[in-house]
Amino acid sequence: MDLMVASTQKLCGELGNGARFNLPGDKSLSHRAALFSALALGHSNIRNFLDSGVTRAMLRALTALGVEWSLQGTTLKVQGQGLRGLCVPEEALNCGNSATTIRLLAGALAASGIPAVLDGSAGLRKRPMERIVDPLREMGVPIQPSEQGTAPLVLSGRPPERALLSSELTLAQASAQVKTCLLLAGLAADGQTILHEPAPSRDHSERMLRAMGANVHQPDALTVILEPLQRPLTALDMDLPGDFSAAAFLMVAALITPGSEVCLNNVGLNPGRTGLLDTLLEMGADIRTETLGEQNGEPLGNLIIKHSPLHAVNVSGDRVVQMIDEFPVFAVAAAYAKGTTQVRDAQELRYKESDRISALAAQLDRLGVPVREHPDGFSIEGALQIPGGASVDCAGDHRLAMSLVVAGLATEQPVRVKNAEMINESFPEFTDVLQGMGGKVSWI
Ligand code: S3P
């Protein structure tokens, strides 16, 4: 299905009915809450769970592993089985398009010791898995990827009495998926698991595991130390904050659409995730944050965003990791900013749901935005007017689809985003929310 987007007068209003509207729950936290609850003992209650394509992949896998769960509205209830209580699945676990699902499950299955095969869509089969396979093997996990180092991943299991090896590992990428995979495996090790990252990635897993009774600490920003589990993880009772990565689309939409003023409530503000906010502020964005303290160990707040003239900025180094999912929509902000924006040190973008450097360059070019590709990033020549008037394709990438829709809100001519149903992978309410704010967007 395609989405048509037309130039929009202004986006306004508080989302939903009244002051306490929440965005859909955070995707990273939803994955973790579902999986970690399954590894705990007891009933978990997770409110504001994100019900979307990628989280359904995780839930389906949990069912195949014998975990009972139910979703009532957005409240997920999970009956934990304990680290060693998962059942051997009858078939390969289909992780769909979700790299978080496959990489986190690999760690959980390594800890549980059961044999299983992890697989997924054609798109997922292209994503690199050596980054988890190599360190898992160092920990003593019998795991075999395809010849290309991708899914399917075959875990052959191990006898219950054999623990995994205590390890000190230096990770090649700053990746919370890799870190979480290894922390989960480390729960079943015979001593400490020490991980060194090249840059600090999001620390949701550390926070959640600690809340569930695991002994995990961060002596500095680049090191995590986990002790093996002495007693079962305790069940979760948790409200998930709104997804900052979903909020990001609405933030940029309001910034580039003249006359807009939008308030997003209860957005997760984990500092490992808010790099886009800092970058937009540097570009001159009028965004006010009302902090609301912490909820179950995760910071959150309200964001009040007003249309603003933006200017170009350079992004590199650690900031890249803090906004790793936001580059597609950041590129849209840069396209409407005065001057040349440059992104470097972002080669990881080539290994996401699409090669986000070349896909972005190709699609923005169709809209009339001059983009230059670099091996590790891109440069964008910003302009106040962008022609639009073209069909663009999201390359099977949910974030690229939403970013192109956002771009079309302020182009001179309407934009058609092809195969936009990919949006359901992470933010099924996106078009409803945008329409509710006054955005001229419709399915055709
Ligand atoms: C995620 C980590 C990031 C991010 C992904 C979700 C997570 O991936 O891109 O959308 O939940 O841990 P990497 O860890 O591969 O950078």
Side-chain angles (χ1 to χ4, degrees):
M1 277 166 76
D2 299 353
L3 273 173
M4 278 308 293
V5 198
S7 172
T8 291
Q9 290 294 305
K10 64 172 185 174
L11 298 174
C12 60
E14 210 159 50
L15 298 176
N17 316 312
R20 305 313 303 167
F21 182 89
N22 282 321
L23 286 164
D26 185 89
K27 172 167 93 65
S28 289
L29 286 168
S30 294
H31 276 299
R32 285 161 175 75
L35 178 59
F36 297 4
S37 298
L39 303 177
L41 277 187
H43 298 278
S44 286
N45 278 301
I46 301 136
R47 292 169 294 278
N48 201 31
F49 181 81
L50 169 68
D51 185 6
S52 73
V54 291
T55 53
R56 283 279 169 172
M58 176 65 87
L59 293 176
R60 271 197 316 269
L62 293 181
T63 301
L65 291 165
V67 178
E68 286 183 17
W69 56 267
S70 68
L71 193 53
Q72 289 152 18
T74 59
T75 299
L76 178 72
K77 293 175 186 280
V78 181
Q79 178 61 46
Q81 302 295 306
L83 203 56
R84 310 226 36 137
L86 302 178
C87 302
V88 178
E90 286 170 12
E91 297 174 348
L93 298 170
N94 180 0
C95 302
N97 289 319
S98 174
T100 310
T101 299
I102 195 168
R103 293 190 177 126
L104 268 53
L105 270 175
L109 293 173
S112 80
I114 61 168
V117 178
L118 291 164
D119 205 354
S121 66
L124 188 65
R125 280 183 171 201
K126 291 191 190 133
R127 311 278 297 270
M129 292 296 148
E130 293 103 332
R131 54 184 61 195
I132 58 165
V133 168
D134 295 345
L136 282 174
R137 281 181 169 165
E138 282 198 49
M139 296 174 80
V141 178
I143 179 168
Q144 184 66 44
S146 75
E147 267 174 33
Q148 293 73 39
T150 56
L153 303 175
V154 180
L155 287 121
S156 40
R158 80 191 137 78
E161 62 285 357
R162 187 168 357 119
L164 296 176
L165 306 172
S166 169
S167 316
E168 179 159 7
L169 301 161
T170 299
L171 308 183
Q173 302 84 16
S175 160
Q177 291 179 355
V178 174
K179 179 173 62 173
T180 305
C181 169
L182 303 176
L183 288 176
L184 291 173
L187 292 173
D190 60 4
Q192 284 186 335
T193 300
I194 306 176
L195 304 178
H196 301 285
E197 289 195 277
S201 66
R202 62 191 72 182
D203 66 352
H204 298 306
S205 299
E206 293 90 316
R207 291 170 190 252
M208 197 180 282
L209 286 171
R210 207 176 291 125
M212 298 174 85
N215 185 345
V216 53
H217 56 282
Q218 293 142 288
D220 58 66
L222 300 178
T223 312
V224 191
I225 303 179
L226 172 88
E227 305 290 336
L229 212 54
Q230 300 298 333
R231 62 192 74 81
L233 293 171
T234 53
L236 276 175
D237 185 26
M238 184 169 187
D239 291 276
L240 302 186
D243 195 328
F244 182 87
S245 296
F249 300 105
L250 305 171
M251 287 161 71
V252 173
L255 288 173
I256 65 169
T257 309
S260 298
E261 179 167 357
V262 160
C263 174
L264 307 175
N265 289 322
N266 296 327
V267 182
L269 296 176
N270 182 310
R273 296 285 298 281
T274 49
L276 177 75
L277 177 57
D278 300 329
T279 304
L280 291 173
L281 291 172
E282 286 168 21
M283 295 170 83
D286 183 346
I287 304 177
R288 193 159 54 82
T289 305
E290 290 173 354
T291 52
L292 296 171
E294 285 198 358
Q295 185 176 269
N296 303 105
E298 287 285 346
L300 81 167
N302 302 331
L303 297 171
I304 298 106
I305 307 122
K306 290 188 186 159
H307 166 255
S308 317
L310 300 175
H311 54 78
V313 73
N314 290 331
V315 177
S316 61
D318 288 1
R319 175 68 62 82
V320 169
V321 188
Q322 293 159 1
M323 55 184 282
I324 191 68
D325 288 333
E326 276 61 78
F327 282 97
V329 80
F330 167 68
V332 174
Y336 285 98
K338 189 162 177 250
T340 306
T341 288
Q342 200 179 159
V343 173
R344 303 311 296 244
D345 304 328
Q347 55 278 12
E348 269 297 299
L349 294 179
R350 296 202 181 270
Y351 307 105
K352 294 294 177 188
E353 283 82 337
S354 64
D355 172 342
R356 283 190 176 153
I357 296 176
S358 61
L360 258 174
Q363 302 310 313
L364 288 181
D365 179 69
R366 286 176 174 220
L367 298 182
V369 179
V371 185
R372 205 150 61 84
E373 263 193 62
H374 309 301
D376 63 341
F378 52 85
S379 299
I380 291 188
E381 215 59 66
L384 292 182
Q385 298 292 322
I386 294 177
S391 276
V392 284
D393 195 280
C394 67
D397 183 335
H398 55 115
R399 297 199 200 282
L400 191 55
M402 287 184 273
S403 303
L404 293 167
V405 170
V406 170
L409 293 170
T411 48
E412 289 169 347
Q413 298 297 322
V415 170
R416 180 178 190 140
V417 181
K418 290 195 277 183
N419 304 314
E421 66 279 0
M422 286 310 293
I423 290 170
N424 294 330
E425 288 293 294
S426 68
F427 190 1
E429 301 86 345
F430 174 71
T431 41
D432 290 347
V433 170
L434 209 50
Q435 282 164 349
M437 291 165 68
K440 289 193 188 156
V441 49
S442 49
W443 290 102
I444 51 166

